[in-house]
Amino acid sequence: MSDCIFCRIAAGELPADIVHEDERVVVFKDIHPKAPVHLLVIPRQHIPSLRELTPEHDALVAHMVRLLPRLAEAQGLKDGFRTVVNTGPGGGQEVFHLHFHLLGGKRLPGMA
Ligand code: AMP
Ligand code: ZN
């Protein structure tokens, strides 16, 4: 059994509020939401972070990125949404399985 919590969610071994899944990705609600809509988009494949991506992952990454606006629309985020990817401890990454945060539903503060 994997000791990666997101691998375990993808395998159905840990509960999650899943809003979308297909053969390559799983999307679920963040357990500590920072906005009214806060989803995590993860690949089923264990990739620790953006740093480990190789050209072999290009189709997967494109699939994940192109899924984001469709998820936002399905969540009713007509005004727009924010996508965040934290990388490494210096970037605030806490779970070392690549994930895109998708946030929205209220006016989000500026990044500056
Ligand atoms: P990051 O800091 O970018 O690695 O983000 C990890 C995110 O995963 C945080 O926003 C956590 O709230 C979220 N998280 C951790 N464990 C779970 C879980 N079991 N189910 C859903 N979200 C989780
Ligand atoms: Zn994993």
Side-chain angles (χ1 to χ4, degrees):
M1 192 185 285
S2 173
D3 58 3
C4 168
I5 57 171
F6 286 0
C7 279
R8 294 188 66 192
I9 287 172
E13 295 169 2
L14 275 182
D17 199 340
I18 293 172
V19 302
H20 171 92
E21 58 184 320
D22 61 38
E23 68 282 0
R24 286 179 282 182
V25 304
V26 180
V27 184
F28 51 94
K29 294 185 181 176
D30 195 292
I31 205 164
H32 295 126
K34 309 286 190 302
V37 174
H38 187 171
L39 303 181
L40 299 174
V41 181
I42 70 165
R44 288 191 182 278
Q45 182 183 358
H46 181 82
I47 301 166
S49 79
L50 289 179
R51 286 170 164 159
E52 285 75 27
L53 289 174
T54 68
E56 283 170 26
H57 299 118
D58 284 358
L60 171 64
V61 172
H63 178 65
M64 291 174 74
V65 171
R66 286 181 10 82
L67 186 58
L68 294 164
R70 290 190 274 144
L71 291 165
E73 189 180 347
Q75 294 288 320
L77 300 177
K78 296 187 194 320
D79 235 20
F81 60 93
R82 176 169 295 172
T83 306
V84 174
V85 185
N86 298 321
T87 303
Q93 186 176 8
E94 292 177 351
V95 177
F96 289 84
H97 180 127
L98 179 64
H99 52 281
F100 286 66
H101 296 257
L102 190 164
L103 300 135
K106 67 175 182 189
R107 191 151 290 274
L108 295 162
M111 294 294 287

